[in-house]
């Protein structure tokens, strides 16, 4: 039953014959897990909260940065420096205090995804990297949950609903991840602030339809949006044979086979293995904090200073998040360096998983 | 006669940051159409096909909304006005 205050709040929903009280009650009993409380997660969470989805879970471990504010409307200027999920809960409960907000302030991993997904009806993929996108897809397949997918780049967005129980999954569309060196660094690529607002709202639309059981879900169709041309296109997505999904795997290794993760690097440094650590960040980033005994050559200077990099050594390239270092890794490989690995997640992952005292700017 | 190539994601940089490349020529198949794009945007070819001339596995090409992997691959027919979408995965969120 809906309370009197809920009838007031959802009055414009209740008079829609397609939705009505039946649909609103379905939303109230429904639950959505949003992976990533960033550009896509912000509008998705806000619209789902306003629509009366009874339980919304958020997965994110980041803090609010000033550079988030041009697109992540869950947060305001006074939230900079706060954990995103704390600020998000306040904002969402201010929009609608009659729902439950559940916080999962950790990284989605292969060892926690299935247990988490089991508790929700629908999953929204609002992540910002390929390993987590494949993880979300596989976990949805194994858990039998619909994956409301959205992704963005500069002025473009893609939206679909992947549901292995009745249509294709993400792997049917993209069985193979792109080579890491072709994945642009998120900070360098840039994004139009309003774009995730559009794509994340479409994801909320699909989640609401799935829960309420109305309309035609975006299954088997990929919607492409171009903000500059202001054009929507649709292409067909067909169920395709691919590696069967039987369990969750190491997604960093799947997407970045020449990566090394921070824990493995810490172990190898601890063992005294012979490694050349190459820091390719800018001087102000290096000065804030860096790994002991690292060689420092900012990315742009690497071509001119390549002779400083020892050719016979095992080289571990790192930057803040792993994007610039992937490019340098590719460059060095093209120059004939045989053993170059990229530190997955960069110094932010090092700070999170190895050394919380490491200062990263 | 014209073909309209829709360029997506990081591939746009190879087309002078254009989202669409219209080529006023005709072709009967994708295999005939793609070299017209390579001629217009030379850097494109190596990013789209392998040394063996196969479509790179992380990309999809759609002709008029249909994935060529489920049609006839590069032999897929194109017609006047066909829209050819070259689509990489996007990761941003």
């Amino acid at each position: 039953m809906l309370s009197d205050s809920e009838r007031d709040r959802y009055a414009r929903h209740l008079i829609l014959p397609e939705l009505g009280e039946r649909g609103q009650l379905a939303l109230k009993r429904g639950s959505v897990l949003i992976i990533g409380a960033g550009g896509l997660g912000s509008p998705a969470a806000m619209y789902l909260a306003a629509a009366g989805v009874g339980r919304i879970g958020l997965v994110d471990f980041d803090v609010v940065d000033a550079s988030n504010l041009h697109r992540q409307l869950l947060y305001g200027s006074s939230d900079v420096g706060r954990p995103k999920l704390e600020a998000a809960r306040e904002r969402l409960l201010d929009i609608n205090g009659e729902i439950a907000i559940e916080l999962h302030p950790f990284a989605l991993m292969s060892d926690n995804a299935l247990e988490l997904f089991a508790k929700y009806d629908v999953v929204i993929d609002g992540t910002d990297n390929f390993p987590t996108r494949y993880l979300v897809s596989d976990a949805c397949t194994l858990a039998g949950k619909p994956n409301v997918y959205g992704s963005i780049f500069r002025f473009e967005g893609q939206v679909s609903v992947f549901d292995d129980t009745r249509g294709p999954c993400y792997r049917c569309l993209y069985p193979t991840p792109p080579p890491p060196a072709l994945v642009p660094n998120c900070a360098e690529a840039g994004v139009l602030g309003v774009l995730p607002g559009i794509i994340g709202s479409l994801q909320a639309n699909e989640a609401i339809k799935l829960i309420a059981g109305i309309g035609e879900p975006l299954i088997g169709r990929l919607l492409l949006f171009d903000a500059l041309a202001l054009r929507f296109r649709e292409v067909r997505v067909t169920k395709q044979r691919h590696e069967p999904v039987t369990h969750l795997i190491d997604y960093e290794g799947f997407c970045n086979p020449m990566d090394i993760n921070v824990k493995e690097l810490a172990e190898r440094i601890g063992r005294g293995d012979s490694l050349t650590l190459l820091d390719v960040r800018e001087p102000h980033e290096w000065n804030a904090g860096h790994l002991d005994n690292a060689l420092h050559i900012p990315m742009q200077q690497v071509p001119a200073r390549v002779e400083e990099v020892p050719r016979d050594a095992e080289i571990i390239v790192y930057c803040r998040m792993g994007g610039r270092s992937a490019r340098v890794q590719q460059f060095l490989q093209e120059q004939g360096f045989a053993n170059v690995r990229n530190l997955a997640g960069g110094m932010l992952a090092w700070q999170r998983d190895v050394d919380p005292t490491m200062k990263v700017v | 006669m014209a073909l309209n190539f829709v360029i997506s994601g990081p591939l746009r940089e190879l087309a002078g940051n254009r989202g669409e490349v219209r080529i006023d020529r005709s072709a009967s198949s994708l295999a005939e159409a793609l070299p017209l794009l390579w001629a217009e945007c030379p850097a494109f070819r190596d990013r789209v096909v392998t040394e063996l001339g196969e479509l790179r596995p992380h990309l999809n090409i759609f002709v008029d909304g249909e994935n060529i992997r489920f049609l006839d691959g590069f032999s897929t027919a194109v017609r006047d006005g066909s829209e050819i979408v070259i689509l990489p995965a996007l990761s941003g969120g």
Side-chain angles (χ1 to χ4, degrees):
Chain A
M1 285 285 289
L2 295 173
S3 65
D4 287 346
S5 67
E6 287 173 324
R7 286 183 187 286
D8 289 341
R9 174 181 287 272
Y10 307 124
R12 302 295 187 276
H13 266 177
L14 296 174
I15 58 172
L16 292 171
E18 295 83 354
L19 197 66
E21 180 149 343
R22 183 201 59 79
Q24 194 62 51
L25 279 169
L27 293 177
K28 182 178 179 177
R29 287 192 289 264
S31 57
V32 176
L33 180 66
I34 302 175
I35 317 296
L40 296 172
S42 282
M46 292 163 79
Y47 273 112
L48 293 176
V53 171
R55 201 158 51 83
I56 298 172
L58 299 169
V59 183
D60 205 306
F61 57 85
D62 217 348
V63 297
V64 179
D65 185 85
S67 66
N68 300 150
L69 300 179
H70 91 305
R71 68 192 184 286
Q72 300 183 15
L73 299 192
L74 266 174
Y75 315 112
S77 303
S78 61
D79 293 319
V80 171
R82 296 181 69 197
K84 281 189 172 178
L85 293 197
E86 282 181 21
R89 175 163 55 191
E90 287 176 14
R91 180 78 184 99
L92 294 172
L93 290 177
D94 188 37
I95 290 171
N96 188 349
E98 304 197 57
I99 59 169
I101 304 297
E102 298 175 347
L103 307 185
H104 307 290
F106 46 75
L108 189 74
M109 306 291 277
S110 293
D111 59 7
N112 60 26
L114 289 177
E115 188 182 348
L116 192 57
F117 283 24
K119 298 173 185 165
Y120 294 88
D121 300 324
V122 173
V123 175
I124 288 185
D125 179 354
T127 58
D128 61 1
N129 63 84
F130 285 114
T132 313
R133 290 193 181 279
Y134 281 95
L135 167 58
V136 170
S137 175
D138 287 358
C140 280
T141 295
L142 293 172
K145 308 286 180 176
N147 168 16
V148 182
Y149 160 83
S151 64
I152 53 174
F153 179 80
R154 290 184 174 162
F155 299 97
E156 293 175 80
Q158 300 180 1
V159 190
S160 192
V161 175
F162 297 117
D163 184 346
D164 185 64
T165 65
R166 51 180 170 154
C169 71
Y170 183 69
R171 282 181 183 268
C172 296
L173 178 62
Y174 299 116
T176 306
L182 295 185
V183 179
N185 167 336
C186 45
E188 283 179 8
V191 62
L192 184 69
V194 67
L195 176 69
I198 295 164
I199 301 299
S201 298
L202 289 169
Q203 290 177 278
N205 181 64
E206 291 307 295
I208 287 169
K209 285 162 53 187
L210 288 169
I211 294 172
I214 60 171
E216 182 188 353
L218 194 60
I219 292 176
R221 299 180 285 148
L222 178 71
L223 188 69
L224 309 176
F225 175 65
D226 181 337
L228 283 179
L230 210 293
R231 186 162 291 151
F232 286 94
R233 290 185 173 84
E234 196 176 294
V235 296
R236 193 201 304 264
V237 185
T238 308
K239 215 168 167 60
Q240 177 177 191
R241 283 173 63 128
H242 51 70
E243 281 289 310
V245 179
T246 57
H247 62 285
L248 300 180
I249 59 172
D250 167 15
Y251 291 90
E252 288 288 348
F254 172 65
C255 291
N256 307 301
M258 278 304 284
D259 270 12
I260 182 170
N261 69 48
V262 290
K263 287 181 178 167
E264 186 185 348
L265 178 60
E267 283 174 19
R268 295 197 54 195
I269 291 173
R271 281 206 304 265
D273 285 3
S274 173
L275 302 168
T276 294
L277 304 170
L278 175 59
D279 187 322
V280 296
R281 297 176 299 165
E282 295 303 306
H284 72 279
E285 298 175 277
W286 163 269
N287 290 336
H290 55 261
L291 299 179
D292 291 343
N293 302 315
L295 175 64
H296 178 221
I297 308 178
M299 179 176 74
Q300 303 293 347
Q301 298 177 22
V302 171
R305 296 173 57 187
V306 71
E307 296 307 320
E308 296 176 40
V309 184
R311 285 199 169 262
D312 299 332
E314 179 177 355
I315 298 160
I316 312 291
V317 195
Y318 72 88
C319 64
R320 184 170 183 269
M321 290 180 68
R324 281 172 286 179
S325 50
R327 289 190 181 187
V328 171
Q329 176 192 34
Q330 186 194 25
F331 172 79
L332 292 175
Q333 287 167 341
E334 289 167 358
Q335 299 299 309
F337 286 78
N339 197 355
V340 189
R341 300 178 77 185
N342 179 34
L343 184 64
M347 281 293 93
L348 283 179
W350 182 272
Q351 180 191 52
R352 186 183 71 230
D353 297 337
V354 176
D355 180 6
T357 67
M358 173 64 73
K359 193 153 174 11
V360 184
V361 297
Chain B
M1 298 289 279
L3 298 165
N4 194 32
F5 290 90
V6 177
I7 314 297
S8 181
L11 295 173
R12 281 191 178 184
E13 287 181 5
L14 307 176
N17 284 323
R18 286 177 290 175
E20 294 183 23
V21 177
R22 182 189 155 98
I23 294 180
D24 292 322
R25 297 275 299 275
S26 62
S28 61
S29 69
L30 192 60
E32 286 182 18
L34 286 173
L36 303 175
L37 179 66
W38 309 155
E40 174 92 9
C41 312
F44 237 90
R45 187 182 184 285
D46 288 347
R47 286 282 288 274
V48 176
V49 298
T50 66
E51 293 82 352
L52 300 174
E54 296 166 342
L55 179 62
R56 291 197 180 274
H58 65 279
L59 295 177
N60 286 295
I61 297 181
F62 298 85
V63 173
D64 297 323
E66 300 290 337
N67 194 328
I68 64 161
R69 294 186 198 280
F70 304 103
L71 298 172
D72 297 318
F74 288 135
S75 301
T76 297
V78 298
R79 55 180 178 74
D80 182 28
S82 272
E83 188 169 78
I84 300 164
V85 177
I86 303 178
L87 192 77
L90 308 180
S91 67

